[in-house]
Amino acid sequence: MACDISLGRLESCKQNVGGLKNVYFINYSKDLLSGATISGNVMTALAASEDAFKFELKADGNTYEEQNENSRDNGTSFFTQTGNLVLKVQDAATQAELTLLSYGRPHVIIEDYNGNFRLAGAEHGVEVSVSTTTGGAMGDLNGYNISFEGKERNMATFIDSAIIGDASGFVVTEGV
């Protein structure tokens, strides 16, 4: 049967850490996955280069989760991919870019502190919501809270780090 598993898993060592280091937003392309090389759930090449816009994450509160939702009655199974990001400091340039993100449905690369890169919204993109916040005290956040959600057939694909920042893979543009 096509849904029978073929491997178990040993208890892993305690060498990982939580947290997100960076996210990269990619303008939606219905052709992103067509021609991409994916082997063993790892994307190792793209058919054409894609621009990826890097957002550094330094504050606490940056999270990414995937929740599997199933219906035996309907015969469906999909993954809800959810991210919550905190960007410090409000400015006009960032606000303009975040507004555009909320209008589109980008793909998102999540980079964690273990060196893993994963692609959320690979087929359908994600919906992005932005809120600005200025706390009531001098030490409170003045910045942006960004959330994104995607619904995908599969879990987020791992990406070989060699194609991040490569001219034939994800071409990274950093901010100032």
Side-chain angles (χ1 to χ4, degrees):
M1 184 173 200
C3 52
D4 290 342
I5 66 171
S6 60
L7 291 174
R9 185 170 190 256
L10 299 174
E11 177 66 22
S12 61
C13 298
K14 295 178 281 208
Q15 61 198 29
N16 287 321
V17 295
L20 303 181
K21 184 175 183 180
N22 300 300
V23 293
Y24 305 76
F25 289 100
I26 303 154
N27 290 318
Y28 178 77
S29 168
K30 65 179 177 54
D31 298 323
L32 179 69
L33 293 180
S34 63
T37 304
I38 301 174
S39 176
N41 200 33
V42 178
M43 181 182 291
T44 57
L46 293 174
S49 66
E50 293 286 342
D51 292 325
F53 300 93
K54 180 179 179 179
F55 286 68
E56 291 182 344
L57 304 173
K58 298 296 181 193
D60 289 335
N62 300 299
T63 62
Y64 176 72
E65 294 182 11
E66 290 180 296
Q67 178 68 42
N68 184 221
E69 299 181 40
N70 297 298
S71 171
R72 183 175 295 243
D73 294 338
N74 296 328
T76 58
S77 179
F78 63 94
F79 294 86
T80 300
Q81 302 170 334
T82 306
N84 293 295
L85 313 171
V86 178
L87 299 180
K88 301 175 290 197
V89 182
Q90 297 176 23
D91 62 73
T94 301
Q95 184 168 310
E97 293 302 316
L98 294 179
T99 299
L100 293 173
L101 277 176
S102 74
Y103 291 166
R105 58 179 170 134
H107 310 283
V108 183
I109 297 173
I110 299 101
E111 178 184 2
D112 67 24
Y113 279 108
N114 299 303
N116 295 312
F117 293 85
R118 297 185 68 197
L119 179 62
E123 285 185 81
H124 307 293
V126 301
E127 297 298 325
V128 177
S129 298
V130 179
S131 65
T132 57
T133 184
T134 300
M138 292 282 275
D140 289 350
L141 174 66
N142 172 282
Y144 304 94
N145 290 305
I146 303 165
S147 61
F148 65 85
E149 180 179 278
K151 294 189 185 300
E152 296 286 328
R153 178 185 324 252
N154 299 304
M155 295 176 81
T157 303
F158 282 88
I159 302 172
D160 185 335
S161 63
I163 67 170
I164 304 292
D166 183 71
S168 62
F170 293 102
V171 179
V172 176
T173 300
E174 296 189 24
V176 282

